Amino acid sequence: MTRNDTPRTDDSDAQRTDEGAAVSETTIGSGSAGPDSGFGSESDAESAPLLDESFDVGERSAAGTTQAETEAVIEARTLDVYYDDHQALRSVDIEIPENRVTALIGPSGCGKSTFLRSINRMNDLIDAARMEGELLFDGKNVYDEDVDPVALRRKIGMVFQSPNPFPKSIYDNVAFGLEVQNRDVDVDETVHSALERAALLDEVEDQLDGSGLDLSGGQQQRLCIARAIAPDPEVILMDEPASALDPVATSKIEDLIEDLSEEYTVVIVTHNMQQAARISDKTAVFLTGGELVEFDDTNKIFENPDNDRVEDYITGKFG
Ligand SMILES: Nc1ncnc2c1ncn2[C@@H]1O[C@H](COP(=O)(O)OP(=O)(O)OP(=O)(O)O)[C@@H](O)[C@H]1O
C-alpha cells in the first residue's frame, strides 16, 4: 500500500464539534443520519431482508482481504447527477479499488459529496436529485429496482462531517442497527468488536452505559465509525470526517482510516489536500462543473498530475 509521508499539520478549519447539535441535524448536506439513512430508522426492521445475493463478494480472509483485492468494488459509468435543472456531476467514470483509501478532492461545489451520496443512494432522500448512468457495487447497479437502499447502506456505511451519535448509550449506539435488523449475530460481541476496530474500546470500556453524547467530539466520531462498521459493511464512505475535530482527534481518525482500509474499502471526501496525500492510495480530483478531471495513484496526482487544471488546483492557484 502506498501511503505518503507528508508531515501532519493542523487543519485550518479544525474546531470543536457541537456535541449537542449532532443528532438534531436533519439535512443531508449538514451530515445527518436521517430517516431511512441506513443508520437504524424504524423502517429497517421491515425492510431488513433486503439484500440482493449479488452483493456478496465472497469470504474475506483472516487478514480481512479478499482474493481479488485490487478489483474495483465500486464503478461509476457515465454518471450524471442533477438537482432539478442544475447538473452537479457530469459523465463521471471511475473504478474504486477494493481495500484501498480513495480520496475525493476538489473545490467547493464541484460535486464531491454528491458523488459520495450517489454510491449508497443517500441522494434518494433529496427530492430534487435525479441521476443518469450507472453506479455499480460488486458489479450490480445499485439503482436497479430490486435493490433495497436500506440494505445497501448496511453494505456501504457512511460517516458524516459532524459526529451524530444517537441520544442513547454508547453500547446502544453501536447495537441499535444490529437489533433493528434482527440479525443472527452475537450483539455483545459485535458491539465490542466494532468499538475495538474503531479504536475506541479502551477509552469507553468502563462506561458503555453512558451516553454517546457525553463523549468528546473525536470520540463521538469514532463511535459513529463503530456504528457504521458494526453491520460488517464492505465500504465506508466518509464525508469530511475530521473537519469538525481538533488536530489530535484528527490524527486519531486518520490513523484509524489507514487501519480500516485493511478490512474495508474507504472513500473519503476531504478539503484538506495534505490529509488526502497522507492517508489515501488513490485520489480523484473533481473540478467546478462536476467533472472528474483526473483519477490516479495519490503520489502521481500530488507529484506529477497529467492535467494542468489539476496541477493548478493542487498548487493552490485556484480553489
Ligand atoms: N440538496 C441539494 N439541492 C440542490 N442543489 C444541491 C444540493 N446539494 C448540493 N447541491 C448543488 O450541487 C453542487 C455540488 O454540491 P456538492 O455538495 O456535492 O459539492 P462539494 O464538492 O461536496 O462541495 P463542498 O466541498 O462545498 O462540500 C453544488 O452546486 C451544490 O449547490
Side-chain angles (χ1 to χ4, degrees):
M1 220 167 268
T2 54
R3 310 267 197 238
N4 296 282
D5 291 328
T6 310
R8 292 182 190 284
T9 57
D10 296 355
D11 293 347
S12 58
D13 56 355
Q15 56 185 339
R16 188 79 164 75
T17 186
D18 179 355
E19 296 173 356
V23 178
S24 61
E25 290 173 350
T26 53
T27 60
I28 292 178
S30 59
S32 82
D36 294 329
S37 67
F39 283 151
S41 65
E42 296 302 330
S43 65
D44 282 3
E46 289 151 34
S47 51
L50 111 69
L51 250 210
D52 190 304
E53 299 278 314
S54 61
F55 282 140
D56 280 334
V57 284
E59 290 297 305
R60 286 174 182 275
S61 72
T65 57
T66 60
Q67 289 186 339
E69 72 171 9
T70 55
E71 281 186 4
V73 65
I74 293 161
E75 185 178 351
R77 293 184 185 160
T78 56
L79 181 74
D80 296 320
V81 178
Y82 301 82
Y83 296 103
D84 291 323
D85 294 336
H86 174 68
Q87 187 164 6
L89 287 178
R90 279 170 206 278
S91 200
V92 172
D93 286 298
I94 189 171
E95 293 187 8
I96 294 178
E98 192 172 40
N99 293 83
R100 296 286 185 270
V101 179
T102 295
L104 311 180
I105 65 171
S108 186
C110 67
K112 306 177 295 291
S113 298
T114 296
F115 178 67
L116 200 72
R117 294 194 302 256
S118 68
I119 296 173
N120 70 346
R121 293 186 50 173
M122 289 294 282
N123 285 332
D124 287 10
L125 309 180
I126 301 173
D127 287 343
R130 73 186 162 84
M131 57 82 65
E132 292 171 4
E134 286 185 309
L135 198 302
L136 308 179
F137 169 50
D138 287 340
K140 166 88 173 162
N141 189 352
V142 304
Y143 289 89
D144 281 351
E145 278 185 7
D146 59 348
V147 173
D148 177 341
V150 177
L152 175 71
R153 290 173 202 140
R154 284 198 288 273
K155 285 287 187 186
I156 307 180
M158 194 154 190
V159 175
F160 298 90
Q161 184 169 5
S162 298
N164 57 354
F166 299 132
K168 291 171 171 285
S169 71
I170 292 167
Y171 184 98
D172 286 347
N173 260 279
V174 183
F176 186 70
L178 298 168
E179 284 165 0
V180 294
Q181 287 168 45
N182 195 20
R183 283 170 46 125
D184 186 21
V185 294
D186 182 331
V187 173
D188 210 37
E189 188 183 307
T190 305
V191 167
H192 280 80
S193 162
L195 286 168
E196 189 165 25
R197 282 181 289 164
L200 185 60
L201 187 62
D202 288 351
E203 292 163 53
V204 301
E205 214 163 7
D206 300 331
Q207 55 178 112
L208 293 179
D209 291 336
S211 171
L213 299 178
D214 289 340
L215 298 174
S216 72
Q219 289 173 324
Q220 286 190 19
Q221 195 61 307
R222 280 178 282 145
L223 178 61
C224 293
I225 291 171
R227 182 176 65 189
I229 61 184
D232 197 26
E234 290 176 36
V235 178
I236 303 173
L237 309 176
M238 297 184 162
D239 199 347
E240 299 185 59
S243 67
L245 306 179
D246 66 35
V248 173
T250 294
S251 175
K252 284 191 179 175
I253 295 287
E254 289 186 4
D255 289 345
L256 175 57
I257 290 168
E258 291 205 43
D259 291 345
L260 290 175
S261 71
E262 290 173 17
E263 269 186 276
Y264 308 101
T265 302
V266 177
V267 187
I268 177 173
V269 169
T270 178
H271 273 123
N272 183 327
M273 283 194 269
Q274 287 176 319
Q275 182 174 74
R278 280 194 295 267
I279 66 172
S280 70
D281 304 289
K282 292 276 189 178
T283 297
V285 188
F286 290 78
L287 292 180
T288 307
E291 211 187 324
L292 171 58
V293 180
E294 194 164 343
F295 176 55
D296 211 326
D297 290 342
T298 293
N299 284 333
K300 170 90 168 91
I301 293 286
F302 283 93
E303 287 167 15
N304 186 24
D306 289 333
N307 187 291
D308 290 343
R309 291 157 71 204
V310 170
E311 181 163 1
D312 287 350
Y313 177 67
I314 298 283
T315 55
K317 288 192 184 146
F318 75 92

